[in-house]
Structure formats: C-alpha cells, structure tokens
Amino acid sequence: ACASPPTALSSAMRTFQHHDETQPIAFGIQLPEGRSPLAFVEATALEVMDYLRDDPRGPFTCIDEKLGESGFRKWGFASDSGEPILKTDWHGQSSCGDGAKFFVPRLNALSPMRRAPPRIVAFIEAFRAVNIPCWKRVSEAMEHVKKRALIEDNQELCNYADIFSRAITERTHFGGVEAQVWRGGELVMKSHTDGAMGLLHLGLTLGGRRTLRVGKFSEQHSPYRSQESRRRGKRPGDEVSVWNPAAYHKDELWDVEQVGGSAYLSLPFSFEHGVQYNKGNVADPVIALQCRFAFISEAEALEVNGQRTGNMRVIAEAMAEALSAAVDRSELRMPSLHEISALEAQLL
C-alpha cells in the first residue's frame, strides 16, 4: 500500500519560473565570441515526484520503509567509476523496449538501455505533450539558425541546428535518463560542464536534499576574477571550479536548493556547475533523475557532444532565448497527475 493514487493538486500544474527574474538570460563558460548564454527555470511538484518514486514497478517502492537492494541491482544501479553515488542509465522512449541503444554521455558511446519504470516514461511523454508550444518555439529557433547558416555558408552550424531540430521533431528530448541515488554522508561533487546532450536538460529530485551550484555572469564578455594560478608559467588548477572561493564574486554564483518535488530545466552545457549532496541514508536517500537528449546516432552525438565552438555558442543562444521566451509566456509547466496516469495506463 505504498503507491499513492493520483490526485489533482495545484502544485502539479505549476508553471516554470525563472530562477532569477532579474536575469532571465545569464552567461556561463567562455567560448569563442563570448560566454555561452543560459536560461535556468524551475518549478515544484511534490505530488508528481512522490508518484514517480512510488511506482510499484520501479526500484524505489516503499522507499520510506525499506530500500530494496535486489530492486536496485535489478534496475542496473552501480557505483560509478569516478563517483561514489549509485547510477544507472535508462531510456524514456515509450516506443522502444529494453535493450534499445542510445548515446550515454558518461560512456561517450551508444549503449543498450533498459526502459525506465512506467511512471517515469509516462511523465516524460506527458511533459513533452503538455509543453508542445515550448518545443515548437525551440524547433523554430533551430530552423532560424539553419537559415542564417545557409546565408553565411556555414555548413557545420547548419548541421548542428539540423541535429537538434530533428531531435525535437522525433521526440527524443529528455529520453535519456540518468538515475542517481546517494545514501551516505555529505558529498561535494567535482565542478564541471556537460556535453551537448545537456543543451536541454531536465533535473528532477524525487527525494532527499541537494544543492546545485551554478557559475554565471551578467554579460557576454564578463571577465573571470584574477587568480595567482593564472599567471604565466603556472600550471592550471581549479580556476573555474564553482567550489573555488577565489574564482567567482558572490553575485556570480547561484546556489539552487533541490528537495523532493523540485524540478529545473536548463542548459548545463553552458555553465560550470557542481552538486553538493546532503547526508542521506537508507530511509531517506537523495534520489535524482537527469533527463537529456536520447541520441540514437552515435555519429551525430559525437559530432556535437564535445564541441566548445562559436557555432555551439549560437545553438546554445537560440535554445536559451527560446526557453526564456516560453517561460515568459507561461508555455512551460509540469504535467498533472491525471495527465501522467492517463499515459501510464496506455503503457501497461
């Protein structure tokens, strides 16, 4: 009796808002022609997250009573080679079964994936469906970039825009799911940026508490703070790490608290970031889902994933501006429990 029946509560219908209304478009890492633009928007839907966590066919059933180790192994959770948290990769494509191959960013290759638990798949499908005007805006932005690229005879930029435009049209956005669980003490993860799969990234927190620290700037050409390690002849260190107190002014960092029910949508390709996990345990672990593009072409994924070029900056700018405009027009929201459960019924 751990699974909760769907109910209609207002927070499940909440629209996304800018994390900082005074800075709907910020700037992150340095790329050719300036810092990469970013938008960061968030919403809260505790009932939705509880519903996903309490899926009786998933690994988190009755998590507040007992965390089943056999269930974790069954769903592929294991310690990552470079990080102590438990991770697994699923796909969220309702049209594909277990074993379908998609690009896994942390492996930098195609890999067979198990399909995510039914409620998570239903959520992803519902999230896409209720926000069609937002994705249409993103697709139109990519088409505008393609037209610009053709005028400028920039074939590489045209290819990039076409790759992401087709990913939206083929409904693979958010189809790559990395599930994460932490049950230990406080943990600070290494500062980093994501690859191009993180040009449209949905982060969900199903339980526990964690803090996402974002390095951001107010201007396209904002300078980094001067540091001793940047002097000529000195070996590079952690000059851009968000955990380095000498790297950023106070107003150049966002600390985004993520608790059960939190959701954010952003472009972690564009900004340096790191995560601090609060103390977790078997009864109350930190559970997070990172939903990214699910590329089925390894060649296309590799073509864009490691690029830090002026052309990728153009793609990020178009993505960020489209996302920001959608939020300004209330075109982005969390699906209701009714919408999720209706799609879940179709999957079973």
Side-chain angles (χ1 to χ4, degrees), residues 198-218:
L199 274 166
L200 197 58
H201 176 113
L202 177 66
L204 307 173
T205 301
L206 275 57
R209 179 183 297 270
R210 62 198 187 106
T211 301
L212 174 66
R213 174 166 286 189
V214 173
K216 55 86 185 180
F217 299 85
S218 59

Side-chain angles (χ1 to χ4, degrees), residues 49-82:
M49 303 305 178
D50 284 350
Y51 190 64
L52 303 186
R53 185 196 65 185
D54 293 341
D55 188 341
R57 294 164 297 277
F60 310 123
T61 308
C62 307
I63 199 166
D64 52 347
E65 296 176 13
K66 182 180 179 182
L67 194 59
E69 294 294 335
S70 61
F72 265 3
R73 289 193 297 271
K74 174 184 174 183
W75 283 94
F77 282 94
S79 295
D80 186 76
S81 59

Side-chain angles (χ1 to χ4, degrees), residues 88-302:
T88 192
D89 293 293
W90 302 323
H91 75 78
Q93 302 299 99
S94 61
S95 60
C96 300
D98 291 342
K101 288 186 176 182
F102 296 93
F103 187 77
V104 179
R106 63 194 178 103
L107 301 178
N108 201 38
L110 286 187
S111 180
M113 288 187 183
R114 178 168 184 168
R115 192 165 79 171
R119 290 184 181 178
I120 292 175
V121 176
F123 167 82
I124 291 170
E125 293 287 5
F127 188 71
R128 293 190 190 118
V130 302
N131 294 306
I132 287 176
C134 178
W135 318 136
K136 181 180 178 182
R137 193 176 294 277
V138 173
S139 293
E140 290 172 348
M142 292 299 104
E143 291 302 313
H144 180 76
V145 170
K146 285 170 64 176
K147 290 178 181 178
R148 165 185 165 180
L150 290 172
I151 292 172
E152 297 175 352
D153 195 24
N154 188 337
Q155 188 59 52
E156 182 182 74
L157 178 59
C158 186
N159 290 345
Y160 291 173
D162 184 62
I163 287 171
F164 287 104
S165 178
R166 283 189 287 107
I168 297 292
T169 301
E170 295 167 4
R171 298 169 60 87
T172 63
H173 46 313
F174 315 120
V177 182
E178 181 180 302
Q180 306 168 341
V181 176
W182 175 245
R183 298 176 291 176
E186 291 188 1
L187 176 68
V188 177
M189 306 297 286
K190 184 179 179 181
S191 181
H192 66 285
T193 56
D194 287 8
M197 303 303 104
L199 274 166
L200 197 58
H201 176 113
L202 177 66
L204 307 173
T205 301
L206 275 57
R209 179 183 297 270
R210 62 198 187 106
T211 301
L212 174 66
R213 174 166 286 189
V214 173
K216 55 86 185 180
F217 299 85
S218 59
E219 303 291 341
Q220 178 179 343
H221 297 291
S222 295
Y224 284 112
R225 293 182 70 182
S226 177
Q227 293 182 61
E228 179 71 18
S229 60
R230 285 207 178 92
R231 291 186 178 181
R232 184 174 299 176
K234 299 277 285 187
R235 292 187 63 184
D238 61 351
E239 294 97 336
V240 298
S241 169
V242 293
W243 308 118
N244 178 5
Y248 299 86
H249 294 286
K250 185 177 180 181
D251 62 356
E252 293 171 345
L253 292 170
W254 284 333
D255 280 338
V256 185
E257 297 295 328
Q258 300 285 294
V259 298
S262 297
Y264 72 84
L265 185 59
S266 191
L267 296 79
F269 163 88
S270 289
F271 54 87
E272 191 77 16
H273 58 283
V275 178
Q276 178 175 341
Y277 289 85
N278 284 29
K279 184 177 181 180
N281 53 56
V282 171
D284 185 28
V286 181
I287 305 172
L289 303 178
Q290 311 301 334
C291 306
R292 312 177 178 102
F293 284 105
F295 277 28
I296 59 175
S297 168
E298 185 173 77
E300 289 186 346
L302 293 174

